[in-house]
């Protein structure tokens, strides 16, 4: 871990350190005393929760899924809302946040290049990386040229300080005056809401890289965790997210708690969002099955010494299944290529007006039907393989 030293011993960043100290200290001093000695208006708690979610979703649906990953397109009204309420969370401007986050995905777990590398431990990936000036934190926005052309992003970047002061002081003070409980509002919708939102969002960089399951890939430290999803506005399905970062969803099943996904889908329904990107089901199943194969292989390798004959037999069966799996995947890839070629050819034929409109449409629907049938067949094959691999894993438990 000698290479890890410089980051933890880099000069302290006093701006962030003082900001965290100033916002956290009242929670352990003034707030308990105030709650003990005063009757705080219930509305302060209600508005605290409203702002907590507005800030959280501004970060997850705006900063993260819209700007960092471009997983959908949003109406300017929605973008302004994200810029204001995501900005209120005091997690830096969209431009800086999204640029750093893209580096995190590109170099995930790299000890130096990943700005909040989990390899440096829980504390560092949670908050430590923000308390020091480390070179990897110096970004040149080369990976965010698209964002530099976004007027709302640049407006927020230029006016960031005024925005965070206005939103974090102005809103609690105004509401506090309106409800006749100035200090109750300042403490709860101001300080408490801000600090809680800080730490639950930071969990995505820290805990979501340490705690949970890895159903889709073991190639990086990211985990899926339902409890964290509940705390992080749906971002706890981080193993899925690191493999399929362009999907507007993080929790892909209907029962997964992902309010960010529901908000985006709701906005699409209202016409405020469009072009929502989803990873095809086949790709997801393929990743899951591949991860299952890897785990099964590892388990068998560990047992080899204990019961070599039975294990060798199971290993043989597993490799047979792997062959089936590989050919199913190859078939899928071929199918995708065919789909792409056909679309290209039809486009060029259409351009050269060699085909009538009706003929093109008929051929397209014929092609689509054929592809759908094949896709369904492949998905069934994949499902069968999944069941057989599971059966193998049960047998392995007794090997
Ligand atoms: Zn991550
Ligand atoms: Zn991400």
């Amino acid at each position: 871990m000698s290479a890890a030293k410089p980051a933890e011993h880099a000069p302290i960043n006093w701006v962030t350190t003082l900001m965290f100290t100033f916002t956290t200290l009242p929670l352990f001093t003034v707030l308990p005393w105030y709650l003990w000695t005063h009757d705080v208006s219930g509305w302060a708690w209600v508005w605290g929760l409203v702002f907590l979610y507005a800030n959280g979703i501004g970060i997850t649906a705006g900063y993260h899924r819209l700007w960092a990953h471009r997983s959908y397109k949003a109406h300017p009204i929605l973008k302004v809302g994200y810029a204001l309420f995501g900005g209120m969370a005091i997690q830096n401007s969209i431009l800086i946040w999204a640029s750093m986050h893209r580096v995190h995905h590109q170099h995930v777990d790299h000890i130096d290049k990943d700005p909040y590398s989990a390899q440096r431990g829980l504390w560092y990936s949670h908050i430590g990386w923000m308390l020091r000036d480390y070179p990897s934190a110096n970004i040149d926005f080369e990976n965010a040229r698209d964002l530099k052309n976004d007027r709302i992003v640049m407006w927020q970047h230029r006016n960031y300080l005024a925005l965070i002061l206005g939103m974090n002081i102005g809103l609690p003070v105004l509401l506090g005056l309106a409800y006749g409980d100035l200090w109750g509002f300042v403490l709860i919708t101001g300080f408490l809401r801000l600090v809680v939102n800080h730490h639950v969002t930071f969990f995505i960089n820290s805990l979501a890289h340490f705690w949970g399951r890895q159903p889709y890939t073991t190639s990086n430290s990211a985990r899926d965790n339902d409890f964290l999803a509940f705390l992080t506005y749906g971002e706890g399905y981080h193993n899925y997210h690191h493999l399929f970062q362009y999907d507007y969803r993080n929790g892909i099943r209907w029962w997964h708690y992902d309010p960010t996904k529901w908000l985006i889908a709701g906005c699409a329904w209202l016409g405020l969002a469009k072009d929502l990107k989803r990873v095809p089901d086949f790709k997801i199943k393929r990743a899951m099955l591949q991860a299952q194969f890897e785990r099964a292989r590892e388990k068998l390798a560990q047992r080899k010494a204990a019961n070599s004959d039975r294990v060798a037999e199971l290993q043989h069966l597993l490799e047979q299944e792997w062959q089936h799996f590989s050919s199913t995947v190859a078939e899928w890839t071929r199918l995708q290529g065919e789909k792409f070629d056909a679309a290209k050819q039809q486009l060029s034929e259409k351009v050269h007006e060699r085909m009538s409109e009706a003929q093109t449409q008929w051929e397209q629907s014929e092609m689509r039907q054929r592809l759908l049938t094949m896709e369904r067949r492949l998905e069934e094959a994949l499902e069968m393989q999944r069941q057989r691999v599971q059966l193998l894993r049960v047998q392995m438990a007794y090997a």
Side-chain angles (χ1 to χ4, degrees):
M1 287 293 279
S2 63
K5 271 194 169 166
E8 290 87 348
H9 297 274
I12 287 179
N13 180 332
W14 285 105
V15 176
T16 52
T17 304
L18 286 174
M19 186 274 290
F20 283 124
T21 311
F22 171 74
T23 51
T24 312
L25 258 183
L27 301 193
F28 298 99
T29 52
V30 188
L31 183 68
W33 164 79
Y34 193 85
L35 289 177
W36 190 256
T37 53
H38 293 73
D39 276 331
V40 173
S41 155
W43 287 109
W45 294 99
V46 171
W47 278 102
L49 204 64
V50 169
F51 287 143
L52 181 75
Y53 258 78
N55 296 165
I57 297 273
I59 294 288
T60 60
Y63 275 50
H64 187 215
R65 299 191 201 181
L66 175 70
W67 280 301
H69 294 301
R70 313 203 69 85
S71 66
Y72 66 103
K73 293 195 180 96
H75 190 279
I77 290 183
L78 200 56
K79 287 166 88 174
V80 169
Y82 292 153
L84 289 175
F85 286 95
M88 186 181 178
I90 316 192
Q91 294 189 20
N92 231 324
S93 69
I94 301 157
L95 184 66
I96 296 175
W97 196 106
S99 173
M100 272 197 160
H101 190 72
R102 287 176 183 180
V103 178
H104 168 62
H105 274 269
Q106 193 186 353
H107 297 293
V108 62
D109 293 325
H110 188 287
I111 194 107
D112 280 315
K113 290 180 183 164
D114 179 352
Y116 22 93
S117 175
Q119 301 306 307
R120 290 187 187 275
L122 207 53
W123 169 260
Y124 187 85
S125 55
H126 187 73
I127 194 170
W129 66 277
M130 285 177 273
L131 303 177
R132 293 181 186 269
D133 281 319
Y134 190 58
S136 70
N138 296 331
I139 33 173
D140 55 10
F141 307 125
E142 259 308 295
N143 66 355
R145 277 187 241 168
D146 54 323
L147 300 180
K148 282 168 98 177
N149 291 325
D150 187 316
R151 282 166 61 190
I152 294 166
V153 169
M154 294 317 286
W155 165 80
Q156 197 234 30
H157 186 68
R158 281 192 300 272
N159 301 289
Y160 186 64
L161 187 64
L163 187 146
I164 59 171
L165 291 177
M167 297 289 282
N168 282 284
I169 300 171
L171 279 180
V173 166
L174 279 177
L175 284 169
L177 291 173
Y179 284 97
D181 184 10
L182 177 63
W183 290 107
F185 268 79
V186 167
L187 285 169
I188 289 160
T189 66
F191 287 96
L192 184 62
R193 176 267 318 160
L194 179 70
V195 175
V196 169
N197 187 60
H198 268 163
H199 291 284
V200 290
T201 334
F202 300 164
F203 281 156
I204 304 160
N205 297 334
S206 57
L207 283 176
H209 277 268
F210 286 88
W211 176 30
R213 48 190 198 276
Q214 296 182 293
Y216 306 99
T217 177
T218 46
S219 64
N220 64 67
S221 60
R223 313 284 161 132
D224 272 20
N225 183 316
D226 301 278
F227 176 65
L228 286 182
F230 176 71
L231 293 182
T232 56
Y233 322 97
E235 304 265 74
Y237 304 100
H238 208 52
N239 187 253
Y240 179 83
H241 175 62
H242 265 277
L243 192 61
F244 301 118
Q245 54 175 305
Y246 301 109
D247 199 319
Y248 82 95
R249 312 160 300 168
N250 275 17
I252 50 166
R253 310 283 170 223
W254 65 266
W255 67 86
H256 284 166
Y257 183 80
D258 188 352
T260 305
K261 163 187 81 176
W262 298 326
L263 177 98
I264 298 168
C267 286
W269 189 72
L270 290 171
L272 292 171
K274 60 178 184 179
D275 298 344
L276 279 54
K277 288 188 196 140
R278 289 166 72 111
V279 173
D281 239 21
F282 185 90
K283 274 194 173 177
I284 300 171
K285 282 197 184 130
R286 181 181 68 184
M288 287 181 86
L289 201 54
Q290 196 161 345
Q292 278 188 13
F293 271 115
E294 276 159 26
R295 271 194 298 271
R297 277 208 188 103
E298 262 171 43
K299 252 190 202 155
L300 277 178
Q302 281 164 8
R303 272 157 205 250
K304 183 123 198 174
N307 189 352
S308 58
D309 280 356
R310 180 80 183 114
V311 168
E313 191 191 323
L314 286 172
Q315 254 168 346
H316 178 68
L317 280 172
L318 189 70
E319 289 321 310
Q320 264 183 343
E321 283 304 327
W322 175 256
Q323 291 301 329
H324 284 307
F325 171 70
S326 301
S327 58
T328 310
V329 169
E331 177 79 344
W332 165 261
T333 313
R334 196 185 58 73
L335 197 65
Q336 289 301 314
E338 211 175 281
K339 200 164 153 182
F340 181 70
D341 287 345
K344 222 167 60 178
Q345 196 191 340
Q346 276 188 348
L347 198 73
S348 82
E349 277 173 3
K350 213 174 156 187
V351 168
H352 294 106
E353 284 176 310
R354 268 192 269 139
M355 281 167 97
S356 71
E357 191 69 22
Q359 199 183 358
T360 315
Q361 270 177 11
W362 184 82
E363 293 223 339
Q364 269 175 349
S365 70
E366 164 102 349
M367 178 78 183
R368 202 174 304 136
Q369 209 48 50
R370 201 162 66 86
L371 284 169
L372 270 176
T373 315
M374 280 177 84
E375 274 179 30
R376 215 167 297 136
R377 222 189 62 213
L378 284 177
E379 291 223 7
E380 276 165 18
L382 212 57
E383 178 57 28
M384 286 285 290
Q385 278 158 28
R386 193 187 66 81
Q387 286 175 11
R388 284 202 298 263
V389 171
Q390 238 161 23
L391 198 71
L392 260 174
R393 286 175 68 190
V394 174
Q395 287 176 319
M396 273 181 324
Y398 298 100

